[in-house]
Amino acid sequence: MWQEIWAGIIASSPNEEAEDLYGIAQLEAQPAGTVAGMFLPSFIPIAEDQSGDDMFVDTRSGKLRGCVTEFVKGNADTWGPKWPSVTAMLADLAEGLHAGRPVGGWQPVVDHGRLDWEVAARG
């Protein structure tokens, strides 16, 4: 979804090259995990919540290549990586489900045999 939105924004930019206007080349050259403030072509979406928030893998080069970051409607990727890799995210998810503890700020809840997620209490 975000790739389509940004492509539309760039395509509607008259008389200016998109990379000059939005600094895409410079943002793509930054190391993985660096906040971009927009959805880059090197971000691979892996999950969405149907309300405009997504998780993506940052495939830019650097020590955090492959990190998982949340792209939040209105705040982009401003909070940086949540997990260093998809493997770490899945391990955290499995451990959280097994222990009934929050995962990435969300509390797993089973209701009538159905898994749901609620915002985890801060504490």
Side-chain angles (χ1 to χ4, degrees):
M1 178 177 91
W2 288 110
Q3 290 169 325
E4 293 170 5
I5 291 170
W6 280 104
I9 291 170
I10 291 166
S12 68
S13 301
N15 304 322
E16 296 187 53
E17 292 213 18
E19 289 191 6
D20 291 338
L21 182 61
Y22 294 101
I24 293 172
Q26 292 85 355
L27 293 170
E28 288 281 8
Q30 294 294 314
T34 303
V35 172
M38 65 180 290
F39 206 91
L40 298 175
S42 60
F43 293 170
I44 308 300
I46 59 171
E48 66 175 291
D49 69 359
Q50 304 295 314
S51 69
D53 297 345
D54 298 283
M55 298 292 255
F56 68 86
V57 175
D58 189 342
T59 64
R60 294 178 290 177
S61 63
K63 290 175 71 173
L64 289 176
R65 180 181 174 88
C67 65
V68 178
T69 302
E70 187 175 20
F71 194 90
V72 180
K73 179 174 56 181
N75 288 321
D77 60 338
T78 56
W79 295 301
K82 288 187 98 113
W83 292 278
S85 66
V86 172
T87 302
M89 179 190 73
L90 293 174
D92 191 30
L93 176 63
E95 292 167 13
L97 289 171
H98 182 73
R101 67 159 175 77
V103 178
W106 294 90
Q107 178 67 47
V109 177
V110 177
D111 184 26
H112 295 93
R114 181 177 164 256
L115 176 63
D116 201 0
W117 296 90
E118 297 176 354
V119 176
R122 295 183 185 228

